[in-house]
Amino acid sequence: MTNSNRRDFLKTSAIFGTGLMIGNPFSITANPLKAADKINIAVVGCGGRGGGMIFSNIPKIPSANLVAVCDIVESRRERAKNNFEQQYGGKVNAYEDFYEMMEKEKLDAIAMATPDFWHMRHAVDALEAGIPVYCEKAMSNNIADARKMAEAQKRTGVLLQIGRQRRSNDRYRFTKEILLEQEQMFGRLTHAIGQWNRSRIWTQRPSKRDNLDLATVQKYGFETIDQVYNWRNYTKLGGGVVSDLGSHQIDIFNWFVDSFPKTVYATGNNSYFGLEQADTMATILEYDTPKGPAIGIYENISNSRAIGVYERFIGDDGAFVISEGKDNQIYRESRVPSKRWQKYIDAGYLANLADMAEYKEKESGDSGIKETAPQISYDIKDMAGMDKVYNMNSHTAHLYNFVESVRGEETLNYDAIESYKSEVCIYKIHEAINAGGGRIEIDPSEYEV
Amino acid sequence: METYRYEHAAMATEFVLTIKNEEEDYANNACQQVFDLVDNLENRLSRFIADSDISRINRMKAGEQMALDFETWEIIRKSIDISALSYGTFDIGVAKHMDVFRAAKQGILTEFEMTNALAKVQEQKQNARLFVDPDKPMIYCVEPGMYFDLGAIGKGYALDQVKKLMLDLEIETYSISAGESTIHFENDHTVLPFWTYPISSKTKQKTLELSNVTVSASGTYFQGNHIFDPRKGSNDFLPEFDRVWVAATDAGYSDAFSTAFFLLSIEEIEQIVAENEKIIWMAYSKDGTLNFVP
């Protein structure tokens, strides 16, 4: 903040009502996050996701020091550099070429948000050079390259975290670790259902300030300017709708039911937008889970966003909807007595009555309610019992987990070997779609690296 | 001159973007970026999204601190400014009050329980202590009890961010409406001299010619008597006006003050408008008449 901005701000903002004030209270200035040794990090790819890393995630991670950005679009990398320096201070160098950046900068870590087809080469070269990598999903646009990345992690022992951020989302971690594993609250999960509904395929055009020429583009594996902005629509550059969207959610199926599919049935097509990649797909996944058989049902919709993005799990003692959006609710199966779930409320895990229980007149016999009371569902309340609650949005938390792992303070929540297993079933789904629909069996050994 | 119009549901309302004097392809691309930005802001600022900054602030316990997105920090600071300027009639710390009203409507709380709950919630809010860092995007909770709801400023703030994006895209003639309650008008005078905007009372109607300004409206007609007085923590305030409009250079200001002015007298409003350079004018309808300040 500039001095003049700060003066104006303090002048007009001394107090707000009674309880919200400007200031940094003396008693809690110590930062609970260990920030003694900052790591120097570079972000490769300054588009939508890279911009999120630069402006929304890294500034919240005290132990991360952004030193460089890299993008083949000059205006995009210069804008990222200049805006970051203006908002957060420090010195950021901007590069067009990844390898020039590797050579010139003393990097402790690299975060990659580039098109899928670049992931393998950049990630493997960085790991071979001893530099840990945070790589946005999907690992690659083909399973062979994804496997090379997992093998490189195994061979070098250098950290490679893949960006499926729900793995570091506090509520997803709480659901997995406490509600599903520790409390076995939902009994045996029999169904996992998920959808990603969006209204259109992202097609971007260069802005008037972008100054990208064809010769530069072709130097980096693109054939046209359009491929730079809309690489997701090309099979040789991206992994398609199942990789982009479905892999986030199918990975959660696998994580929550504690297994990987033994068969996938899938069908899909590109009939709606007519681009190279499928825009519409549906798949059925069959699992043999430790508790018995389970079925996953998953859909990507690209012509309507009305129903949103969510995962839904059905167990014999309860069900839940979970998402990174508005849809989050927990339901007790009717035959499970409410007293049995009271312990979860008492433990602070769940809230019911829209978290209004403290305002109910518990002693009065007549509730006074003259209308039909609503169906009781539950919400996650306090994430009690967790070793660690990040209290960050999942994108920041996932990158924070990576940075702290590089510093030796944590272990990765989602390394390349774990991620590869979900990529296997994603590419089996692709295989089925590309074959015009069908059922494919997956041998358990195919998941191993 | 071609005009391109786009609609998008977000922030519990309908956004409408109108772009003039651009290639269709470029306008389509801008539309995607604009609505993506609005969705992104909603994900960070809505208290109904469990992972948003605001939801996580609302879950903070005593002694906790939290790093914020730059935009979250900015909108909270702006809200503090507006609260001070509006004598506390604009207040983002009322989410729990809203929850109590909703629970009563749903039949979870009786009217008796609602009244007592509002008194408790107001007391908790008055005892709360939250600090926003003046130098970096951090918030500190010394004592919880105040819970944020950005419903009265979020849409305006989103339009301010859209303005920055459109500047970056070098699009100079457009309007964007957030549920028609807040509309920003931007125009290159050589392309379009002005945008028109009708306002009306029960018996009068007037069409305004507007350039490079945001107008917000608030009223009791569409949403019923929804004016809640945060100073008292109750909803028994009977507004003096039927409808209020505020024009400002800052969309967050126009959005927030269009609600805050309902709780102030004409004399207080005149003083605020005179002293604040971001507010260009306000208008109100009362007893069938249309009135402007200044």
Side-chain angles (χ1 to χ4, degrees):
Chain A
M1 179 184 282
T2 64
N3 287 337
S4 63
N5 280 346
R6 188 177 176 198
R7 272 198 306 277
D8 293 346
F9 182 37
L10 291 173
K11 188 176 63 183
T12 58
S13 311
I15 196 162
F16 169 85
T18 54
L20 176 60
M21 289 151 277
I22 296 300
N24 184 343
F26 180 73
S27 59
I28 56 170
T29 49
N31 193 327
L33 307 172
K34 297 173 185 174
D37 308 310
K38 288 198 171 201
I39 66 158
N40 289 335
I41 191 166
V43 172
V44 187
C46 302
R49 190 70 276 286
M53 288 178 180
I54 293 165
F55 294 104
S56 186
N57 308 150
I58 287 175
K60 293 178 179 173
I61 303 174
S63 45
N65 183 34
L66 182 72
V67 294
V69 294
C70 178
D71 197 298
I72 67 168
V73 183
E74 183 187 2
S75 53
R76 211 154 59 178
R77 65 176 181 266
E78 290 299 326
R79 199 157 53 231
K81 166 194 160 67
N82 294 334
N83 288 351
F84 187 88
E85 287 177 348
Q86 195 180 355
Q87 279 187 16
Y88 298 104
K91 173 85 172 75
V92 176
N93 296 317
Y95 294 89
E96 175 187 305
D97 185 79
F98 176 83
Y99 293 99
E100 184 193 352
M101 182 188 75
M102 284 250 289
E103 192 182 314
K104 289 187 176 170
E105 297 288 336
K106 288 182 179 170
L107 297 174
D108 299 309
I110 295 174
M112 300 192 332
T114 46
D116 294 349
F117 79 106
W118 267 112
H119 289 174
M120 188 280 287
R121 188 175 155 196
H122 284 163
V124 171
D125 287 344
L127 295 184
E128 296 287 0
I131 302 174
V133 172
Y134 178 101
C135 179
E136 265 301 328
K137 69 90 195 90
M139 290 176 75
S140 180
N141 61 331
N142 63 78
I143 193 65
D145 281 359
R147 187 173 185 87
K148 285 178 192 167
M149 292 169 73
E151 286 171 346
Q153 180 198 295
K154 193 173 180 181
R155 182 174 65 251
T156 62
V158 182
L159 302 180
L160 174 54
Q161 171 116 307
I162 305 301
R164 289 201 177 87
Q165 293 82 9
R166 283 166 174 77
R167 290 289 190 129
S168 294
N169 181 309
D170 286 330
R171 291 178 303 101
Y172 280 76
R173 291 171 55 242
F174 175 76
T175 301
K176 167 71 175 173
E177 292 173 27
I178 304 296
L179 303 185
L180 286 168
E181 289 188 345
Q182 179 184 301
E183 300 297 334
Q184 306 279 319
M185 205 171 105
F186 304 99
R188 175 185 146 199
L189 294 183
T190 56
H191 288 74
I193 299 138
Q195 290 190 348
W196 195 305
N197 295 273
R198 63 176 177 180
S199 56
R200 58 170 70 92
I201 299 276
W202 177 255
T203 48
Q204 200 183 342
R205 295 286 171 268
S207 86
K208 291 173 185 172
R209 292 182 188 184
D210 288 353
N211 49 356
L212 197 55
D213 62 89
L214 196 59
T216 305
V217 162
Q218 288 173 341
K219 215 165 74 176
Y220 294 100
F222 301 95
E223 290 169 358
T224 62
I225 301 281
D226 186 66
Q227 286 188 353
V228 176
Y229 292 89
N230 301 302
W231 55 269
R232 286 184 170 85
N233 301 338
Y234 296 90
T235 50
K236 63 175 275 193
L237 309 178
V241 70
V242 192
S243 292
D244 279 345
L245 311 177
S247 74
H248 280 296
Q249 298 177 284
I250 291 170
D251 178 62
I252 296 303
F253 288 8
N254 301 343
W255 192 32
F256 280 6
V257 303
D258 207 14
S259 18
F260 293 91
K262 62 176 185 177
T263 68
V264 300
Y265 172 85
T267 188
N269 56 66
N270 65 347
S271 61
Y272 197 82
F273 288 100
L275 301 167
E276 283 186 13
Q277 302 279 21
D279 48 44
T280 302
M281 61 78 64
T283 185
I284 297 172
L285 314 163
E286 290 181 289
Y287 296 88
D288 276 337
T289 82
K291 291 180 178 172
I295 293 173
I297 303 167
Y298 184 76
E299 295 170 291
N300 279 137
I301 288 97
S302 300
N303 55 302
S304 168
R305 63 195 278 270
I307 312 296
V309 179
Y310 65 88
E311 298 93 62
R312 186 154 57 94
F313 291 85
I314 314 294
D316 42 18
D317 285 348
F320 61 97
V321 183
I322 190 164
S323 77
E324 294 202 305
K326 289 176 181 163
D327 298 319
N328 290 283
Q329 208 76 52
I330 294 173
Y331 302 91
R332 174 173 47 81
E333 182 58 27
S334 299
R335 63 180 171 74
V336 176
S338 58
K339 281 183 180 173
R340 206 174 107 193
W341 276 32
Q342 184 60 39
K343 65 181 174 186
Y344 306 133
I345 295 168
D346 295 341
Y349 298 160
L350 302 184
N352 64 351
L353 293 170
D355 208 13
M356 286 285 137
E358 67 177 297
Y359 304 115
K360 293 294 294 175
E361 298 287 325
K362 295 182 180 66
E363 301 304 321
S364 67
D366 176 10
S367 74
I369 296 172
K370 302 306 176 199
E371 302 85 9
T372 304
Q375 182 190 3
I376 300 299
S377 61
Y378 302 78
D379 301 303
I380 291 175
K381 187 172 168 64
D382 296 324
M383 282 161 272
M386 297 276 284
D387 289 341
K388 179 185 288 290
V389 175
Y390 291 112
N391 197 23
M392 298 170 173
N393 74 43
S394 64
H395 283 80
T396 306
H398 207 49
L399 190 58
Y400 173 83
N401 166 253
F402 167 72
V403 168
E404 290 303 295
S405 299
V406 172
R407 297 177 66 244
E409 299 289 340
E410 292 193 18
T411 55
L412 292 184
N413 286 341
Y414 193 64
D415 70 14
I417 293 170
E418 177 73 3
S419 170
Y420 175 72
K421 295 176 182 176
S422 280
E423 303 262 342
V424 168
C425 66
I426 292 303
Y427 283 96
K428 294 293 181 185
I429 292 168
H430 268 297
E431 201 179 313
I433 292 172
N434 292 339
R439 183 172 181 269
I440 294 177
E441 292 190 10
I442 308 174
D443 189 280
S445 65
E446 295 184 68
Y447 290 113
E448 301 306 321
V449 176
Chain B
M1 177 173 43
E2 290 292 334
T3 299
Y4 304 101
R5 187 177 187 277
Y6 309 93
E7 298 175 10
H8 183 76
M11 297 186 173
T13 189
E14 191 83 6
F15 280 71
V16 177
L17 172 66
T18 306
I19 296 176
K20 288 179 183 286
N21 200 40
E22 297 291 341
E23 299 285 334
E24 183 174 8
D25 215 26
Y26 199 70
N28 289 344
N29 179 47
C31 147
Q32 290 199 31
Q33 291 193 50
V34 164
F35 292 149
D36 202 45
L37 170 68
V38 171
D39 288 345
N40 196 298
L41 285 167
E42 183 176 15
N43 283 335
R44 298 186 215 185
L45 301 178
S46 168
R47 74 183 182 95
F48 299 105
I49 293 178
D51 294 335
S52 73
D53 267 8
I54 297 303
S55 290
R56 286 182 297 108
I57 290 170
N58 288 347
R59 291 196 295 266
M60 286 176 85
K61 296 186 173 56
E64 287 185 352
Q65 58 180 312
M66 209 181 98
L68 302 174
D69 271 327
F70 189 87
E71 290 78 8
T72 312
W73 185 50
E74 193 171 63
I75 194 172
I76 294 172
R77 287 159 52 209
K78 187 173 281 190
S79 299
I80 293 171
D81 281 353
I82 296 171
S83 178
L85 293 168
S86 68
Y87 311 112
T89 55
F90 174 75
D91 191 333
I92 60 170
V94 295
K96 200 75 171 179
H97 299 75
M98 300 298 119
D99 287 344
V100 168
F101 289 131
R102 184 174 292 109
K105 276 186 185 171
Q106 288 176 338
I108 293 170
L109 296 179
T110 65
E111 199 172 347
F112 178 75
E113 288 167 336
M114 180 191 80
T115 307
N116 288 343
L118 283 173
K120 280 184 195 172
V121 165
Q122 185 71 359
E123 188 184 346
Q124 286 167 350
K125 176 173 172 268
Q126 284 168 338
N127 292 330
R129 289 290 180 270
L130 296 178
F131 289 82
V132 180
D133 198 301
D135 296 321
K136 55 184 180 293
M138 295 287 295
I139 189 164
Y140 312 95
C141 177
V142 174
E143 181 61 39
M146 177 184 286
Y147 305 97
F148 293 170
D149 182 320
L150 301 180
I153 188 172
K155 290 184 276 295
Y157 181 79
L159 296 200
D160 282 325
Q161 301 307 302
V162 169
K163 283 158 62 182
K164 288 182 191 171
L165 174 62
M166 295 299 251
L167 191 64
D168 200 48
L169 294 171
E170 299 183 353
I171 293 178
E172 294 173 333
T173 302
Y174 66 93
S175 74
I176 180 160
S177 154
E180 297 195 1
S181 65
T182 295
I183 309 180
H184 178 72
F185 303 97
E186 193 79 30
N187 56 307
D188 173 350
H189 290 271
T190 62
V191 172
L192 183 74
F194 51 79
W195 292 86
T196 56
Y197 177 76
I199 65 173
S200 61
S201 68
K202 284 174 191 165
T203 55
K204 305 276 183 193
Q205 185 164 336
K206 191 173 173 61
T207 298
L208 306 178
E209 297 174 351
L210 300 174
S211 287
N212 307 323
V213 71
T214 307
V215 178
S216 296
S218 191
T220 56
Y221 181 73
F222 287 110
Q223 298 184 38
N225 186 1
H226 71 303
I227 303 303
F228 164 79
D229 188 346
R231 297 167 298 186
K232 294 179 182 171
S234 61
N235 67 338
D236 50 10
F237 186 86
L238 289 173
E240 190 178 340
F241 316 115
D242 298 323
R243 203 157 183 81
V244 163
W245 294 265
V246 177
T249 55
D250 180 303
Y253 268 58
S254 66
D255 193 6
F257 274 104
S258 70
T259 302
F261 281 164
F262 257 99
L263 297 160
L264 294 171
S265 67
I266 288 295
E267 292 73 25
E268 289 169 319
I269 291 169
E270 283 173 343
Q271 189 181 344
I272 290 170
V273 174
E275 290 177 355
N276 197 304
E277 61 187 22
K278 287 181 182 168
I279 303 175
I280 301 168
W281 53 260
M282 75 84 70
Y284 60 93
S285 63
K286 183 179 179 180
D287 304 328
T289 63
L290 269 177
N291 309 273
F292 283 82
V293 176

Coordinates of all heavy atoms in Angstrom, one line a residue, chain B residues 139-183:
Chain B
I139 N -6.6 -10.6 8.6 CA -7.7 -10.2 9.6 C -7.4 -11.0 10.8 O -6.9 -12.1 10.8 CB -9.1 -10.5 9.0 CG1 -10.2 -9.9 9.9 CG2 -9.3 -12.0 8.7 CD1 -11.5 -9.8 9.3
Y140 N -7.7 -10.3 12.0 CA -7.4 -10.9 13.3 C -8.7 -11.0 14.1 O -9.4 -10.0 14.1 CB -6.3 -10.1 14.0 CG -5.2 -9.7 13.2 CD1 -5.1 -8.5 12.5 CD2 -4.1 -10.6 13.0 CE1 -4.0 -8.2 11.7 CE2 -3.0 -10.3 12.3 CZ -2.9 -9.0 11.6 OH -1.9 -8.7 10.8
C141 N -8.9 -12.1 14.8 CA -10.1 -12.2 15.6 C -9.6 -12.2 17.1 O -9.0 -13.2 17.5 CB -10.8 -13.5 15.3 SG -12.3 -13.8 16.3
V142 N -10.0 -11.2 17.8 CA -9.7 -11.2 19.3 C -10.9 -11.8 20.0 O -10.7 -12.6 20.9 CB -9.4 -9.7 19.7 CG1 -9.3 -9.7 21.2 CG2 -8.2 -9.2 19.1
E143 N -12.1 -11.4 19.5 CA -13.3 -12.0 20.1 C -14.3 -12.2 19.0 O -14.7 -11.2 18.4 CB -13.8 -11.0 21.2 CG -15.1 -11.5 21.9 CD -14.9 -12.8 22.7 OE1 -13.8 -12.9 23.3 OE2 -15.8 -13.6 22.7
P144 N -14.7 -13.4 18.8 CA -15.7 -13.6 17.7 C -17.1 -13.1 18.1 O -17.3 -12.8 19.3 CB -15.7 -15.1 17.5 CG -15.3 -15.7 18.8 CD -14.4 -14.7 19.4
G145 N -18.0 -13.1 17.2 CA -19.4 -12.7 17.5 C -20.0 -11.7 16.4 O -21.1 -11.4 16.4
M146 N -19.1 -11.3 15.5 CA -19.6 -10.5 14.4 C -19.4 -11.4 13.1 O -18.3 -11.9 12.8 CB -18.8 -9.2 14.2 CG -19.2 -8.4 13.0 SD -18.2 -6.9 12.8 CE -18.9 -5.9 14.1
Y147 N -20.4 -11.5 12.3 CA -20.4 -12.4 11.1 C -20.7 -11.6 9.9 O -21.8 -10.9 9.9 CB -21.3 -13.6 11.4 CG -21.0 -14.3 12.7 CD1 -21.7 -14.0 13.8 CD2 -20.0 -15.2 12.7 CE1 -21.4 -14.6 15.0 CE2 -19.6 -15.8 13.9 CZ -20.4 -15.5 15.1 OH -20.0 -16.1 16.3
F148 N -19.9 -11.7 8.9 CA -20.0 -10.8 7.7 C -21.1 -11.3 6.7 O -21.1 -12.5 6.4 CB -18.7 -10.7 7.0 CG -17.6 -10.0 7.8 CD1 -16.3 -10.0 7.4 CD2 -18.0 -9.3 8.9 CE1 -15.3 -9.3 8.1 CE2 -17.0 -8.6 9.7 CZ -15.7 -8.6 9.2
D149 N -21.8 -10.4 6.1 CA -22.6 -10.6 4.9 C -22.4 -9.4 4.0 O -22.7 -8.3 4.4 CB -24.1 -10.7 5.3 CG -25.0 -11.0 4.2 OD1 -24.8 -10.4 3.1 OD2 -26.0 -11.8 4.3
L150 N -21.9 -9.7 2.8 CA -21.6 -8.6 1.9 C -22.7 -8.3 0.9 O -22.5 -7.7 -0.2 CB -20.3 -9.0 1.1 CG -19.0 -9.2 2.0 CD1 -17.8 -9.5 1.1 CD2 -18.7 -8.0 2.9
G151 N -23.9 -8.8 1.2 CA -25.0 -8.7 0.3 C -25.3 -7.3 -0.2 O -25.8 -7.1 -1.3
A152 N -25.0 -6.3 0.7 CA -25.4 -4.9 0.3 C -24.2 -4.2 -0.3 O -24.4 -3.0 -0.6 CB -25.8 -4.2 1.6
I153 N -23.1 -4.8 -0.6 CA -22.0 -4.1 -1.3 C -21.3 -5.0 -2.4 O -20.7 -4.5 -3.3 CB -21.0 -3.6 -0.3 CG1 -19.9 -2.8 -1.0 CG2 -20.3 -4.8 0.5 CD1 -19.0 -2.0 0.0
G154 N -21.5 -6.3 -2.2 CA -20.8 -7.3 -3.1 C -21.0 -7.1 -4.6 O -20.1 -7.1 -5.4
K155 N -22.2 -6.8 -5.0 CA -22.5 -6.7 -6.4 C -21.9 -5.4 -6.9 O -21.3 -5.4 -8.0 CB -24.0 -6.7 -6.6 CG -24.7 -8.1 -6.4 CD -26.1 -8.1 -6.8 CE -27.0 -7.6 -5.6 NZ -26.9 -8.5 -4.4
G156 N -21.9 -4.3 -6.1 CA -21.3 -3.1 -6.5 C -19.8 -3.3 -6.6 O -19.2 -2.8 -7.6
Y157 N -19.2 -4.0 -5.7 CA -17.8 -4.2 -5.7 C -17.4 -5.0 -7.0 O -16.4 -4.8 -7.6 CB -17.3 -4.9 -4.5 CG -15.8 -5.2 -4.4 CD1 -14.9 -4.2 -4.1 CD2 -15.3 -6.4 -4.8 CE1 -13.6 -4.4 -4.1 CE2 -13.9 -6.6 -4.8 CZ -13.1 -5.6 -4.5 OH -11.7 -5.8 -4.5
A158 N -18.2 -6.0 -7.3 CA -18.0 -6.8 -8.5 C -18.0 -5.9 -9.7 O -17.1 -6.1 -10.6 CB -19.1 -7.9 -8.6
L159 N -18.9 -5.0 -9.8 CA -18.9 -4.1 -11.0 C -17.6 -3.2 -11.0 O -17.1 -2.9 -12.1 CB -20.2 -3.2 -11.0 CG -21.5 -3.9 -11.1 CD1 -22.6 -2.9 -11.5 CD2 -21.5 -5.1 -12.0
D160 N -17.1 -2.8 -9.9 CA -15.8 -2.1 -9.9 C -14.7 -3.0 -10.5 O -13.8 -2.5 -11.2 CB -15.5 -1.7 -8.4 CG -16.3 -0.5 -8.0 OD1 -16.5 0.4 -8.8 OD2 -16.6 -0.4 -6.8
Q161 N -14.7 -4.2 -10.1 CA -13.7 -5.1 -10.7 C -13.9 -5.3 -12.2 O -12.9 -5.4 -13.0 CB -13.7 -6.5 -10.0 CG -13.5 -6.4 -8.5 CD -12.2 -5.6 -8.1 OE1 -11.1 -6.0 -8.6 NE2 -12.4 -4.5 -7.4
V162 N -15.2 -5.4 -12.6 CA -15.5 -5.5 -14.1 C -14.9 -4.3 -14.8 O -14.4 -4.4 -15.9 CB -17.0 -5.7 -14.3 CG1 -17.3 -5.6 -15.8 CG2 -17.5 -7.0 -13.8
K163 N -15.1 -3.1 -14.2 CA -14.6 -1.9 -14.8 C -13.1 -2.0 -15.1 O -12.6 -1.6 -16.1 CB -14.9 -0.7 -13.9 CG -16.3 -0.2 -13.9 CD -16.7 0.6 -12.7 CE -15.9 1.8 -12.4 NZ -16.3 2.5 -11.2
K164 N -12.4 -2.5 -14.1 CA -10.9 -2.7 -14.3 C -10.6 -3.7 -15.4 O -9.7 -3.4 -16.2 CB -10.3 -3.2 -13.0 CG -10.2 -2.2 -11.9 CD -9.5 -2.9 -10.7 CE -9.7 -2.0 -9.4 NZ -9.2 -2.7 -8.2
L165 N -11.4 -4.7 -15.5 CA -11.1 -5.7 -16.5 C -11.4 -5.1 -17.9 O -10.7 -5.3 -18.9 CB -12.0 -7.0 -16.3 CG -12.0 -8.0 -17.4 CD1 -10.6 -8.6 -17.6 CD2 -12.9 -9.2 -17.1
M166 N -12.5 -4.4 -18.0 CA -12.9 -3.8 -19.3 C -11.9 -2.7 -19.7 O -11.6 -2.6 -20.9 CB -14.3 -3.2 -19.2 CG -15.4 -4.2 -19.0 SD -15.5 -5.4 -20.3 CE -17.0 -4.9 -21.1
L167 N -11.3 -2.1 -18.8 CA -10.2 -1.1 -19.1 C -9.1 -1.9 -19.7 O -8.5 -1.4 -20.7 CB -9.8 -0.4 -17.8 CG -8.9 0.8 -17.9 CD1 -9.6 2.0 -18.7 CD2 -8.5 1.3 -16.5
D168 N -8.7 -3.0 -19.1 CA -7.6 -3.8 -19.5 C -7.9 -4.4 -20.9 O -7.0 -4.5 -21.7 CB -7.4 -5.0 -18.5 CG -6.1 -5.6 -18.6 OD1 -5.1 -4.8 -18.7 OD2 -6.0 -6.8 -18.7
L169 N -9.2 -4.7 -21.2 CA -9.5 -5.2 -22.5 C -9.7 -4.1 -23.5 O -10.0 -4.3 -24.7 CB -10.8 -6.0 -22.4 CG -10.7 -7.3 -21.6 CD1 -12.1 -8.0 -21.4 CD2 -9.8 -8.3 -22.3
E170 N -9.6 -2.8 -23.0 CA -9.8 -1.7 -23.9 C -11.2 -1.6 -24.5 O -11.3 -1.3 -25.7 CB -8.7 -1.6 -25.0 CG -7.3 -1.5 -24.3 CD -6.1 -1.3 -25.3 OE1 -6.4 -1.5 -26.5 OE2 -5.0 -1.1 -24.9
I171 N -12.2 -2.0 -23.8 CA -13.6 -1.8 -24.2 C -14.1 -0.6 -23.5 O -14.1 -0.5 -22.3 CB -14.4 -3.1 -23.9 CG1 -13.9 -4.3 -24.7 CG2 -15.9 -2.9 -24.1 CD1 -14.6 -5.6 -24.4
E172 N -14.6 0.3 -24.3 CA -14.9 1.7 -23.7 C -16.4 2.0 -23.7 O -16.8 2.9 -23.0 CB -14.2 2.7 -24.6 CG -12.7 2.6 -24.4 CD -12.0 3.6 -25.4 OE1 -12.5 4.0 -26.4 OE2 -10.8 4.0 -25.0
T173 N -17.3 1.2 -24.4 CA -18.7 1.5 -24.3 C -19.5 0.3 -24.0 O -19.6 -0.7 -24.8 CB -19.1 2.1 -25.7 OG1 -18.4 3.2 -26.0 CG2 -20.6 2.4 -25.7
Y174 N -19.9 0.2 -22.8 CA -20.7 -0.9 -22.3 C -21.5 -0.5 -21.1 O -21.3 0.5 -20.4 CB -19.7 -2.1 -21.9 CG -18.8 -1.7 -20.7 CD1 -19.2 -2.1 -19.4 CD2 -17.6 -1.0 -20.8 CE1 -18.4 -1.8 -18.3 CE2 -16.9 -0.7 -19.8 CZ -17.3 -1.1 -18.5 OH -16.5 -0.7 -17.4
S175 N -22.4 -1.4 -20.7 CA -23.1 -1.2 -19.4 C -23.2 -2.6 -18.8 O -23.2 -3.6 -19.5 CB -24.5 -0.6 -19.5 OG -25.4 -1.6 -20.1
I176 N -23.2 -2.7 -17.5 CA -23.4 -3.9 -16.8 C -24.3 -3.7 -15.6 O -24.1 -2.8 -14.8 CB -22.0 -4.6 -16.4 CG1 -22.3 -6.0 -15.7 CG2 -21.1 -3.7 -15.6 CD1 -21.2 -6.9 -15.7
S177 N -25.3 -4.6 -15.6 CA -26.3 -4.5 -14.5 C -26.2 -5.7 -13.6 O -26.1 -6.9 -14.1 CB -27.7 -4.4 -15.2 OG -28.7 -4.9 -14.4
A178 N -26.3 -5.5 -12.3 CA -26.3 -6.6 -11.4 C -27.8 -6.6 -10.8 O -28.1 -5.9 -9.9 CB -25.3 -6.4 -10.3
G179 N -28.6 -7.4 -11.4 CA -30.0 -7.5 -11.0 C -30.8 -6.2 -11.1 O -31.8 -6.1 -10.4
E180 N -30.3 -5.3 -11.9 CA -30.9 -4.0 -12.1 C -30.9 -3.2 -10.8 O -31.3 -2.0 -10.9 CB -32.4 -4.1 -12.6 CG -32.4 -4.8 -14.0 CD -33.8 -4.6 -14.7 OE1 -34.6 -3.9 -14.1 OE2 -33.9 -5.1 -15.8
S181 N -30.4 -3.7 -9.7 CA -30.3 -2.8 -8.5 C -29.0 -2.0 -8.6 O -28.9 -0.9 -8.0 CB -30.3 -3.7 -7.3 OG -29.2 -4.5 -7.2
T182 N -28.0 -2.5 -9.3 CA -26.8 -1.7 -9.5 C -26.3 -1.8 -11.0 O -26.2 -2.9 -11.5 CB -25.6 -2.1 -8.6 OG1 -26.0 -1.9 -7.2 CG2 -24.3 -1.4 -8.8
I183 N -26.2 -0.7 -11.6 CA -25.8 -0.7 -13.1 C -24.7 0.3 -13.3 O -24.8 1.5 -12.8 CB -27.0 -0.2 -13.9 CG1 -28.3 -1.1 -13.6 CG2 -26.7 -0.4 -15.4 CD1 -29.5 -0.7 -14.5

